[in-house]
Structures are given as structure tokens and as C-alpha cells.
Amino acid sequence: MKLEQLYVNNSNQLLQDYRDQKESIGSFFHFKNEQSSFEERLSDLKNHPVRRLELTKIIRKYMSQLESTPKIEKHLDELEKDAVLVIGGQQSGLLTGPMYSINKAISVLLLAKEQREKLGVPVVPLFWVAGEDHDLDEINHTFYPLSNRLVKHTYTEDGIVKKMASAANLNYEALHEWIEQLFIQFGETAYTKELLANVLHVAENSDTYTTFFVKLMNGLFKEQGLLYMDAADADLRAYEAPYFKTLINHSEEIAAVVTAREAYLEELGYGSPIGATNNAANLFYVKDGERHLLTRKDGYFMNSSIGVKFTREEMLDLADDEACFSNNVVTRPMMQDLVFPVLSFVGGPGELAYWATLKDGFELLGMKVPIFTPRMNVTYVTRETVANLQEIGITAADAINGAVNQLKAKYDEEIYDQEAKTAIEEAKNLLSKQYKVIQQHLKEHEIKIERIVDKNLEFHKHQFDFLMKQIEKDIRLKHSVAFKRFEQVENELLPAGGFQERVYTPYPYLNQFGEGFISGIMALPLQTSYKHQIVYL
């Protein structure tokens, strides 16, 4: 493997301004993303009230379902004593979901390692799985390329559409078939048989989206010592009871300040990522594995669609007795900071937008927004793509910055038969002129078949258009090898016009390179930075 780092064009203005540390966006956070902030945040965390023994016990119990390693045990021991955390998280996608899940995990591991060395204290990496999310349509599929187009491969099962990912039970037979059909598209390699057997074994021993996700992720990163926690874990929710009470008691104030902060964010041109409202409770009520968003009205916390209405006192009792609440995008970061000693949170541009609305809400709870570290963007480049890039005459960096589409359009223009098009257009014009003569003749002799003549003219024009399309098709066929090069590069590096990491699961690469895929990446001289990481495989 070889690493190249470069700056790429960034279409997300909020992220770009955060990277450039512009004052307009910096005012939305307590810390800049620079080393002095890590030292300041570490000092603040000395006064952070963490129930370490109880918390670590919950994490140990959750991770008992996973294969452990000495590094995992070391990190658990450190967390029990005095370690701080670097945290990132993601939804429970099938086959880990898009590759930004593993890129985020790599970012968390890398930042934790860097800060451990710089600060001289234990810094532990933790992946907080968003198992409480219930939009399964976001996580029940993946994509693969077929004949230079993207195919969506979806796992479907009746009756679990509204369930949280951690409560949505998987049907092993249906999942088994889904996995096998997908692996057929990956093709047979020296690693396929073992990799497929491992994935099917994990699937057979996973009851929900979340367990399937976490077990696969742990298989990839266990040697790196990455810890996991599910936001929907029952023991964690019971642990969070006093913090849910805090969020309930401050619900009205949190909604007001977040709504005001988001309005200011929109005023500066960054949009409204949350759609915050003053009557939002920013909590879900969980019943039978389904989440129902609560609002506040007339002193009640309620959801009229399922007919629930609670007083504040009832909400506080429920937090103690039933652990039946779940956080939304506003309260999840706050709960995370109440539970864990968070040195830094690693997130993507969408999460950055959410977090930019939360500063005043954190302050209401006597906290500061942790250092937000943008996750790394990584693009993986196979040897086939390198060869095609060389034939085209551009670099991977050029391709990621959009050069492929421009070159393909230029090449298309160069091979286009303009003479044939001109001749056909002239023939169509002559035909139209002759038909005008015919129409005039018919009019003079009161022969009323104008519609038939018009239809006849359109028919012949369509025939000329069909002829031009056949010429274009034949030309493209003669140059199909060149076009396939363009399309292969686009499909791998910029599928559907976006970064690779937002579309593909890592399993085609694991199928091609085996378990050494992850260890090889971790052995590269990666550094947390705003540069785009290009990994040549």
C-alpha cells in the first residue's frame, strides 16, 4: 500500500470554514481544532464527574459478546482508572455500511493514538453505535457496480420498518441469501471463501442490525483496541437515568437556545440542519422497540399519534423506572458528554452542522462542547484504476477533483462525427422546405390532409434522428475500451458523483486483499489533517 495526501475541492462551506477557523463558525464552538485546545480540554475533564467503575462495567458487559484482545482489555482498564476518550459513532449499516464507517473508526483510533503521545495520558478510542436510530431504509442496503452502473442491493423484511436498529431482529435465512448474492457480484478471489464463511457465521450469531454491525466492526479493528457501546443498550439507559432527568428538567430551555442558535446559523448562510422548534422535547419515547418523538404542549410531554401524554413528574418517574427514553440529534451529543469523559468527538460534515447549534445548550448543563475533529476522507485506489488513470493521462487526485468527467466530455467531442450530423441536419432542413411546398400545393387545391402531412414529416425527422443515434452508437462502440476506462475510474473513485466512501461497503476490498486490508491501512503513516487520504492498494 502507498499513501498520498492532498487537498481536494470541498463543496461543504460549513466544513471548509471550520477548517479555515473562520470567526463566523468558530463562535459556535468552545474549542478550536488545534493542539492547545486538547490541552485545555484535558484540564477541564479533571473536574468531569464520571462514574468510572459503573460505566466500565457496562461497557465490559456489552463487549462480552465480542472477541477480545489484550489491547481492548488494556483500554478498558485505563478507562476504569483515569483515561479520557476520543469518540466517533455511526448507524448500524449492513456489512458495516458505507466505508465512511471504517474511515471514521480509523480516524478515532488515529486521533486517540496521537493525543496519547502528545498529552502523555491514556486516551482511549470508543465507537458509539447509534443503535437507537430507527430509519432502517438508511441502513438496509449497499451498492455494487454492474456494467458501469450502480446497483442498489437491499435487504428487506416485513414488520420491522419502525423498529430501532438494536430492536430490529434479522431473519438469518433472508440475510444469508442477501449476503451470498452480494458476494457473487464481488467475484471469486483467494480470500472469498474464508471471508464469506466468516460473514455468514457472524450473521448467524447476530440477532439485530446492531449486533451484526458491531461484530463485523470488531473483527476488523479488535487488534487496534477499539471499544464499542450501543446507545440503545438497556444497561446504559439505566445508567443514564439521572442524565435523562437533567435533559427533561431543562427541556424548554434547551429547545429555546438551540432554536435561536440554529436561526443564527441559517442567517450566516449555513442552513438549518435540525429544523429546531421551541416546543421540541428533543427526546423520544420508546415502546416495544419503536421510537416516538415527543413535543411539549400545555405543560405536557406528548405524542398524539400514539396517544401518550406525560407530565414532567411522570417523565422523571419513567426515567427512573423504565429507561424508556432515547435521544435525538440535539440531546445525543449532550448525553454523550454527560456519560463519558470526551476529549474529542470525531464526525462528518452532517454532524458538524448539528453540533454547531448546541453550544448554548451545553452551557445550560454546565458543560462545553468537546473538540470537534472532522473525520478523515479516504479514497482507496485499486491497481486496475491506477492502470486506467495512466491510460487516460491523469492522477487519482485529478480524478477526485472532477477531471474525469471533463476529459470524457472532451474525448466524446473529439470523436463525434460532426460531418455526419451536419449532413443529416441539412437533409432535415431540405425535407422541411419540400414539405412546405407540398402543404402550399394542398392548400391551393383545398386538399385538407394537413395533419397527415405533418405526421409524415415528423416520422421522417425521427428517422433521421434515429440514424444519427446509430452513428453515435457505432462510434462509441469503436471507442468502447476508452469509454470503459473513464467509466471504471468514475465508478470506483466518484460513484454517483460523490466520494467512494459514501457508497461502497469495504467488503469488495476485503474480498480482494483479505484481512491485510485493514492492518495495511493502519500501518500507513496516516495523520489527522484536513487533507484527503488516497490509499493505493
Side-chain angles (χ1 to χ4, degrees), residues 473-486:
K473 184 178 179 181
D474 187 69
I475 292 170
R476 283 180 172 272
L477 186 62
K478 289 179 181 178
H479 296 83
S480 61
V481 173
F483 276 105
K484 283 179 181 178
R485 289 194 191 103
F486 286 118

Side-chain angles (χ1 to χ4, degrees), residues 87 110 116 152 196 211 262-263 280 315 397 405 446 474 488 496:
I87 294 183
L110 186 61
R116 177 183 287 260
K152 186 177 183 179
L196 176 59
T211 50
E262 185 178 43
M315 289 281 288
N405 201 40
E446 297 184 350
D474 187 69
Q488 189 276 328

Side-chain angles (χ1 to χ4, degrees), residues 493-512:
L493 303 187
L494 290 172
F499 285 153
Q500 171 198 86
E501 61 187 13
R502 303 197 66 83
V503 176
Y504 298 131
T505 167
Y507 276 83
Y509 299 92
L510 288 162
N511 182 61
Q512 192 170 353

Side-chain angles (χ1 to χ4, degrees), residues 248-259:
I248 291 166
N249 282 324
H250 290 279
S251 176
E252 185 173 354
E253 300 161 276
I254 290 172
V257 297
V258 170
T259 301

Side-chain angles (χ1 to χ4, degrees), residues 407-424:
L407 282 174
K408 186 169 69 171
K410 183 180 178 183
Y411 183 77
D412 199 16
E413 185 179 338
E414 288 173 355
I415 64 171
Y416 193 83
D417 194 335
Q418 188 61 47
E419 290 184 10
K421 183 178 181 180
T422 300
I424 287 172

Side-chain angles (χ1 to χ4, degrees), residues 36-178:
S36 61
S37 295
F38 285 90
E39 294 160 7
E40 183 183 348
R41 176 66 176 172
L42 179 64
S43 179
D44 288 348
L45 288 175
K46 291 176 181 177
N47 299 316
H48 191 291
V50 181
R51 295 174 280 156
R52 288 183 179 274
L53 292 177
E54 190 178 349
L55 178 61
T56 307
K57 183 179 179 181
I58 291 169
I59 298 175
R60 283 186 188 278
K61 181 181 176 183
Y62 180 74
M63 293 194 64
S64 64
Q65 66 180 316
L66 309 176
E67 184 181 352
S68 189
T69 63
K71 204 158 190 179
I72 287 174
E73 293 304 320
K74 175 189 175 183
H75 287 163
L76 286 167
D77 289 342
E78 289 177 333
L79 179 58
E80 191 172 83
K81 294 173 184 174
D82 60 355
V84 294
L85 292 173
V86 169
I87 294 183
Q90 192 55 46
Q91 295 164 294
S92 310
L94 293 179
L95 292 186
T96 78
M99 281 195 294
Y100 56 60
S101 293
I102 67 164
N103 293 344
K104 191 174 286 185
I106 292 169
S107 300
V108 169
L109 287 162
L110 186 61
L111 183 61
K113 180 182 178 182
E114 288 179 357
Q115 292 305 320
R116 177 183 287 260
E117 293 171 355
K118 291 177 180 178
L119 298 174
V121 299
V123 182
V124 171
L126 185 139
F127 200 96
W128 205 20
V129 185
E132 59 194 358
D133 283 2
H134 61 269
D135 191 351
L136 300 185
D137 286 339
E138 288 188 357
I139 62 173
N140 67 355
H141 61 273
T142 189
F143 293 89
Y144 62 84
L146 180 65
S147 301
N148 294 319
R149 64 185 178 87
L150 280 180
V151 177
K152 186 177 183 179
H153 187 57
T154 304
Y155 165 84
T156 56
E157 186 178 347
D158 295 334
I160 62 171
V161 176
K162 294 182 180 180
K163 294 277 188 180
M164 298 188 301
S166 293
N169 291 321
L170 296 167
N171 179 291
Y172 175 65
E173 287 73 22
L175 184 60
H176 185 287
E177 183 180 356
W178 183 88

